[in-house]
Amino acid sequence: MRVTHCNRRALVFAVEELEPLESWSLGSFRVRLSARTCDCGIFQSLHFPCCHALAACAAASIEWGRYVHPVYKQENVFKMYEVKFPPIPDKKLWPEWYGTHLHPNPAMRQKATERLVSMKFQNEMDEVERVEKRCGMT
Ligand SMILES: [Zn+2]
């Protein structure tokens, strides 16, 4: 990866990949650090510097951590887990539900063999087929 154009004042860079990383690679990418964008789209999508932005920062001796969205910062991750999660109370203590009650359809239940339960009504012909399939030993 090589930085071919560097405008430190505008924080705009052109970064060229010497070897394409993926088949979709365009080869040359424009990085705008102040807008936190790159032609590859990863920088603005993840709100985290892509490899082109990191190359631009390295070329201009700019600390890349300032372009990481605060949501990735460790203290923010810890804040998310500061909230206490109340345990689910016993089912007997749940409020009464007056809405629609859903029940599973037993006909759709799968057996352990992964076969669906047959919904076909059995008749005399099924009984005959079952008898015909029996082995002569019984
Ligand atoms: Zn990029």
Side-chain angles (χ1 to χ4, degrees), residues 75-88:
E75 62 263 17
N76 289 326
V77 173
F78 288 152
K79 273 184 197 171
M80 191 170 76
Y81 290 101
E82 279 178 359
V83 179
K84 290 184 179 178
F85 297 98
I88 297 173

Side-chain angles (χ1 to χ4, degrees), residues 48-67:
F48 196 92
C50 62
C51 58
H52 312 112
L54 292 174
C57 288
S61 300
I62 296 171
E63 200 274 311
W64 60 270
R66 71 175 74 167
Y67 300 106

